[in-house]
Amino acid sequence: MPISTAAERLGMTPRMLRYRESLGLTPPTKEQPTGRGHRHRRFSENDLDAVSAGQELEQTYDIPPAALAFALRVLAEPAVLARVRSFGERVGRLAPAPARAMDFEKQKALRLLQRRESPDVRRTRPADRGHP
């Protein structure tokens, strides 16, 4: 269906639907450009369902379309997720990420090494054992 019909069924203007499309809040189109390179997108029922699901999220969480688009970006891009997580930890909204298994093993190995070094250090210093 053309954008004007799709927008009307979704309760928005064609301009708002184009805006949502520019934010990545509509499924990508598989249509090829026609004749002179122009492409008039046609919307399917599945497209309308997806846009409607996005609208429902926006209404439920009282967020604008741009916030939903950013949330999708955070989920899709690991580097953005890491920066947002770091910020959340800094402002106290998120607990620090749990230590990875390798980090845990490294810490355990360091503790064991410190225990081993401690008695050796004492043996080389008689004053530590109470001897003059």
Side-chain angles (χ1 to χ4, degrees):
M1 70 188 74
I3 193 167
S4 57
T5 305
E8 184 178 328
R9 289 206 24 211
L10 291 165
M12 64 179 72
T13 65
R15 183 176 178 182
M16 177 54 84
L17 190 49
R18 282 188 198 94
Y19 173 63
R20 288 173 180 281
E21 186 174 25
S22 74
L23 291 173
L25 298 177
T26 61
T29 182
K30 295 177 179 98
E31 296 175 3
Q32 298 298 318
T34 57
R36 298 182 202 140
H38 294 98
R39 166 175 70 94
H40 295 286
R41 176 169 180 156
R42 305 204 46 93
F43 290 85
S44 68
E45 290 297 325
N46 287 339
D47 294 339
L48 296 185
D49 289 343
V51 173
S52 183
Q55 286 179 295
E56 184 180 324
L57 284 169
E58 293 162 14
Q59 291 169 355
T60 299
Y61 295 104
D62 193 27
I63 59 171
L68 181 57
F70 183 69
L72 290 174
R73 182 175 178 199
V74 167
L75 294 171
E77 298 178 31
V80 177
L81 175 61
R83 291 185 70 191
V84 171
R85 170 165 277 294
S86 175
F87 174 72
E89 290 170 7
R90 289 179 73 183
V91 298
R93 296 277 313 263
L94 297 174
R100 297 180 311 199
M102 290 298 290
D103 293 339
F104 176 76
E105 291 300 321
K106 181 180 175 183
Q107 291 170 1
K108 183 178 173 183
L110 288 172
R111 282 193 307 270
L112 289 172
L113 285 173
Q114 287 173 346
R115 284 185 199 153
R116 282 188 175 177
E117 289 176 1
S118 295
D120 294 340
V121 172
R122 287 188 193 129
R123 281 190 215 134
T124 59
R125 290 192 229 157
D128 288 346
R129 288 186 289 174
H131 294 96

